[in-house]
Amino acid sequence: MFHKPFRIKTNTQLKGSERRRIRQEVMKQFPQISENDLQALFPPKEVMSAVKIITHGGDLSVVYCVQKLPLIFELEQKMYPTVCMLWSFPSILPSFTTWPQVFNRLAGGADLMLPGIVLKRQLHVKAYGNLQKGEAVAINMTTNKAPVAVGVTALSSFDMYMAAQRGKAVKILHFVGDELWSYGTKLTIPELGPPPGYEVEVDISSLSVEDSNPANTEHTIKAESELVNKSDAQTASLPGDLEKNAVENLRENATDLILDVVSADNSEDLDMGKVFDSNGILQEHTGIEVVPELGVNPQEVMDKLLEYCFLKAWKTSAKKIGFPLLTSNFYKLHMLPACPSGKQLDLKRSSHKKLSKFLSAMENLDLIKVTELTKGVESIMMVNRNHPMYKEFVDIEESFDDAGKMTEASAKTVKPAIVELYTVTAAVLPLFSKFGLRKGGSLPVADVRKHVTDYVKKEKLQDPMNRNLVRVDAVLQAAVQNPNTVAVSWEDLMGLIIGRMSHSYQMTFSDHKTVAQKGKLDPIDIQVGRRTGNKKVTLINNLELYGINIQEFARECQHGVAASTSISTVQGKKSQQLLVQGNQVLFVGNLLMGKYQIPKHYIRGLDSAPRQKK
């Protein structure tokens, strides 16, 4: 987040009341910090300032500094400690430990991947703690428990365990050496000693690149390449003749280096054919890795997902593709896009291991025919569209549960919950501050009416002679900004107060993801334009604001009206624009209000639909 230079919007020295509010908010979000700690953190006589900055990515953040030293940054009304603050209070956030070599990659702008986390114990459910997705965490190194980075979890702890050490673990927000750290006094990392349990380790940077076992060399290069999400990251190798105690140490402190392939010659030292019991204890096992307490066979889950994507690809994107079709292109261009949202195809986690073996299995079922036209290059020559599996397949996106069962999702998308909010401004702050609200707080119109009504009743401002009128006192006059107003009707009072507030909105999607934005929510805009040759086209804007995948929506239009589509970026628009050939307003409107359940008043341009012939 602060990897690239940011722009300072304002820099304001805080007064006593604001300092007290910040202290209370810090104690609320970090209950581990005592009152005495706060006194040391925010000395009463030291200058404290709030710096509003706009990051390179366009995010607005507030950084609280003491004597120009950044201690806390606020993002979307949530506070995060800087590394400088964590050096004094390293235990206020849960922490992950990584190697110093991995931190070099984090400092280059990478996020922390699951293979880059050093585990204190063997991999089981509790190995990653008890964290939820989006929770703030600190990152330290095996050589020093002083945090070097702050981020938010990309997955919950349970999802990290189920991901089998693949994928992103922590999205990095701030680290030692970034622009936020450079803005302050550039303190150096203190030496706090290694984290508990990491006092003895093997330094992977000093290991030899020689290995007498080619299989081990291939494995270790692959394992090292997954430490960070950088495709051009240099890889290191582990020696094949490590003594047994060193290998055992790596198993305990660097489980994430042992990923897929282990040579049979080293099987007595590095036995991946093991599973964990309900207490997290390793048990001997042969065959496929299974987690007994969940009854999950990961290979069966991936096999079913591969089969589903294979059939869906032929039913949708690959339906009109000519033959021969390169097998690699079929997988990349057709199978991967057919994967359900939230899932990821991984051939190595299936029983087939390779694309050629999976396609060979499909060929044995008489679904396709694969031929090697050029040496080492295979192509698909035909697909059997009369096969029962092909005919019976229905193009309805399916979700795969942890037990490997496919459960059909509803054909309709769950309606997004849209709540229009009003933000407290300086004009109405004297009124709403009496209800514990502060400037910038947002509330729905029902709450605005409730607070205004409660204030009028509490202060007995309702005219006893005419119950439809409200006498305006000093607080209400400040809100409506009209000193000459003596009495107004209820509706006029509500309208005047709401008119002094700014707009915002909150949208909650079916996956419980919540998005809050300032300003009015733009409706989905449907327009009919003309192109060369007087041909009509339908232009659709703002689909992505409502959580609609524009590429998926384009495919639905293609199939629904048999028309070509294109997606482009329009200057000044918040989202991409979809173009559909012909006047398709009626189809697009029915699709939005039907499947996506967008309320009609959030769709503009439905009157451009062609009139139905009687």
Side-chain angles (χ1 to χ4, degrees):
M1 180 176 176
F2 301 107
H3 176 56
K4 295 182 179 180
F6 52 77
R7 178 167 61 88
I8 297 178
K9 189 175 181 181
T10 59
N11 188 345
T12 308
Q13 184 172 335
L14 297 181
K15 298 180 180 179
S17 60
E18 277 296 305
R19 292 170 68 107
R20 286 192 294 272
R21 183 187 68 80
I22 297 301
R23 286 161 56 93
Q24 291 173 358
E25 193 65 28
V26 171
M27 289 190 67
K28 180 180 178 181
Q29 296 200 25
F30 306 106
Q32 305 93 325
I33 298 180
S34 65
E35 186 68 35
N36 293 333
D37 294 334
L38 280 177
Q39 290 286 348
L41 191 63
F42 304 118
K45 296 184 180 181
E46 298 289 350
V47 176
M48 185 176 177
S49 59
V51 184
K52 288 186 179 180
I53 63 174
I54 299 177
T55 66
H56 185 271
D59 296 317
L60 179 63
S61 178
V62 181
V63 181
Y64 298 103
C65 307
V66 173
Q67 290 289 66
K68 296 184 178 181
L69 178 66
L71 294 179
I72 293 173
F73 63 95
E74 192 174 36
L75 184 64
E76 296 180 352
Q77 298 183 345
K78 185 176 181 180
M79 288 184 168
Y80 300 90
T82 65
V83 290
C84 299
M85 177 177 170
L86 286 173
W87 291 339
S88 299
F89 310 100
S91 61
I92 62 175
L93 290 183
S95 61
F96 286 128
T97 300
T98 188
W99 289 279
Q101 293 80 3
V102 176
F103 174 68
N104 295 336
R105 304 299 182 189
L106 302 183
D111 290 325
L112 180 63
M113 310 301 283
L114 281 168
I117 297 177
V118 187
L119 301 178
K120 290 187 290 187
R121 48 187 175 271
Q122 297 290 356
L123 178 62
H124 54 81
V125 177
K126 297 182 180 180
Y128 295 101
N130 186 22
L131 302 172
Q132 300 298 320
K133 181 179 179 181
E135 192 168 338
V137 293
I139 298 169
N140 55 35
M141 297 184 291
T142 55
T143 56
N144 190 355
K145 67 179 180 181
V148 293
V150 179
V152 293
T153 53
L155 300 169
S156 66
S157 295
F158 183 77
D159 288 340
M160 289 183 189
Y161 165 69
M162 291 300 296
Q165 297 188 323
R166 292 179 183 274
K168 186 183 296 185
V170 180
K171 179 183 178 182
I172 302 300
L173 299 179
H174 161 56
F175 57 85
V176 175
D178 67 2
E179 295 295 328
L180 180 59
W181 175 86
S182 301
Y183 177 77
T185 52
K186 300 181 181 180
L187 298 179
T188 57
I189 304 175
E191 181 56 53
L192 303 181
Y198 298 101
E199 290 81 0
V200 179
E201 64 173 48
V202 175
D203 186 359
I204 63 174
S205 65
S206 63
L207 299 178
S208 168
V209 298
E210 297 180 0
D211 193 339
S212 59
N213 190 329
N216 270 352
T217 304
E218 179 184 354
H219 157 63
T220 52
I221 292 177
K222 177 182 177 183
E224 285 286 323
S225 67
E226 292 193 27
L227 282 175
V228 293
N229 61 342
K230 291 290 186 179
S231 59
D232 58 348
Q234 295 181 352
T235 57
S237 298
L238 298 175
D241 54 352
L242 285 173
E243 295 182 359
K244 186 171 181 178
N245 59 348
V247 176
E248 290 294 327
N249 185 67
L250 277 175
R251 285 176 56 191
E252 295 179 4
N253 296 330
T255 308
D256 47 347
L257 286 178
I258 307 171
L259 295 177
D260 293 326
V261 183
V262 181
S263 170
D265 295 337
N266 292 338
S267 59
E268 66 179 20
D269 289 337
L270 301 175
D271 184 7
M272 290 299 290
K274 297 180 178 181
V275 297
F276 305 96
D277 64 12
S278 59
N279 296 319
I281 307 298
L282 275 173
Q283 301 292 327
E284 293 295 331
H285 177 68
T286 57
I288 300 173
E289 182 182 356
V290 178
V291 183
E293 65 181 11
L294 294 178
V296 178
N297 188 326
Q299 289 188 348
E300 288 184 6
V301 175
M302 190 56 62
D303 287 348
K304 290 180 180 180
L305 183 59
L306 279 169
E307 184 181 302
Y308 168 80
C309 295
F310 173 84
L311 292 171
K312 183 178 178 180
W314 288 116
K315 281 278 191 175
T316 55
S317 62
K319 193 172 183 179
K320 299 179 181 179
I321 298 299
F323 298 103
L325 174 61
L326 288 175
T327 57
S328 57
N329 285 347
F330 172 70
Y331 181 75
K332 293 177 182 178
L333 302 179
H334 304 294
M335 283 188 64
L336 289 179
C339 187
S341 59
K343 298 297 176 183
Q344 185 176 3
L345 284 180
D346 190 345
L347 284 163
K348 293 178 182 178
R349 295 174 64 186
S350 70
S351 62
H352 306 286
K353 302 300 182 184
K354 294 182 179 180
L355 177 62
S356 59
K357 291 184 178 180
F358 169 71
L359 294 179
S360 177
M362 297 297 101
E363 187 175 21
N364 292 336
L365 294 174
D366 197 27
L367 271 166
I368 56 173
K369 182 179 179 182
V370 181
T371 303
E372 189 175 346
L373 297 178
T374 308
K375 186 177 181 180
V377 180
E378 292 184 336
S379 298
I380 300 175
M381 305 303 296
M382 59 83 68
V383 59
N384 183 6
R385 302 189 191 276
N386 294 319
H387 196 282
M389 290 178 63
Y390 182 91
K391 285 186 173 182
E392 295 170 4
F393 179 81
V394 180
D395 184 15
I396 298 177
E397 184 162 312
E398 297 170 333
S399 60
F400 292 74
D401 61 21
D402 292 332
K405 300 176 182 178
M406 294 189 293
T407 57
E408 291 191 358
S410 172
K412 289 189 176 181
T413 304
V414 177
K415 176 182 177 181
I418 304 171
V419 180
E420 294 190 10
L421 304 173
Y422 293 89
T423 303
V424 177
T425 59
V428 297
L429 183 60
L431 170 62
F432 289 101
S433 62
K434 297 182 180 298
F435 299 94
L437 297 170
R438 58 191 179 97
K439 185 178 177 181
S442 298
L443 61 164
V445 65
D447 288 352
V448 175
R449 291 180 175 274
K450 180 179 182 302
H451 291 326
V452 174
T453 303
D454 290 346
Y455 177 78
V456 170
K457 289 182 178 180
K458 181 181 178 182
E459 300 297 328
K460 299 179 180 179
L461 298 176
Q462 194 171 14
D463 193 330
M465 304 298 295
N466 187 350
R467 308 296 289 179
N468 291 326
L469 293 179
V470 177
R471 297 194 301 270
V472 181
D473 64 356
V475 173
L476 293 180
Q477 282 183 345
V480 302
Q481 294 188 347
N482 190 345
N484 298 322
T485 302
V486 178
V488 295
S489 66
W490 278 101
E491 283 304 313
D492 288 343
L493 178 62
M494 296 296 180
L496 288 169
I497 291 176
I498 290 176
R500 298 297 179 186
M501 304 176 74
S502 58
H503 291 270
S504 61
Y505 65 90
Q506 178 177 292
M507 192 176 301
T508 305
F509 300 102
S510 56
D511 58 357
H512 305 294
K513 178 183 177 182
T514 300
V515 175
Q517 293 287 345
K518 293 183 178 179
K520 282 188 175 182
L521 176 60
D522 294 330
I524 295 177
D525 184 35
I526 306 174
Q527 301 175 8
V528 178
R530 295 184 183 272
R531 294 294 185 265
T532 306
N534 204 27
K535 294 181 178 179
K536 292 184 178 181
V537 294
T538 303
L539 304 173
I540 311 161
N541 296 299
N542 303 327
L543 286 172
E544 293 171 305
L545 296 182
Y546 293 78
I548 298 175
N549 186 316
I550 192 169
Q551 293 180 340
E552 180 181 332
F553 193 87
R555 285 197 296 268
E556 291 173 325
C557 292
Q558 285 178 339
H559 300 155
V561 296
S564 60
T565 62
S566 65
I567 300 172
S568 59
T569 302
V570 180
Q571 188 174 4
K573 296 290 184 181
K574 296 180 181 179
S575 61
Q576 291 180 305
Q577 183 183 77
L578 173 63
L579 181 149
V580 186
Q581 292 290 341
N583 187 335
Q584 312 298 348
V585 175
L586 185 61
F587 174 83
V588 171
N590 290 335
L591 183 61
L592 288 170
M593 292 185 290
K595 177 179 178 179
Y596 292 95
Q597 300 189 48
I598 303 298
K600 188 175 181 179
H601 62 275
Y602 286 113
I603 305 174
R604 183 172 59 197
L606 293 176
D607 53 352
S608 301
R611 294 182 179 180
Q612 298 289 329
K613 293 182 180 180
K614 295 183 180 180

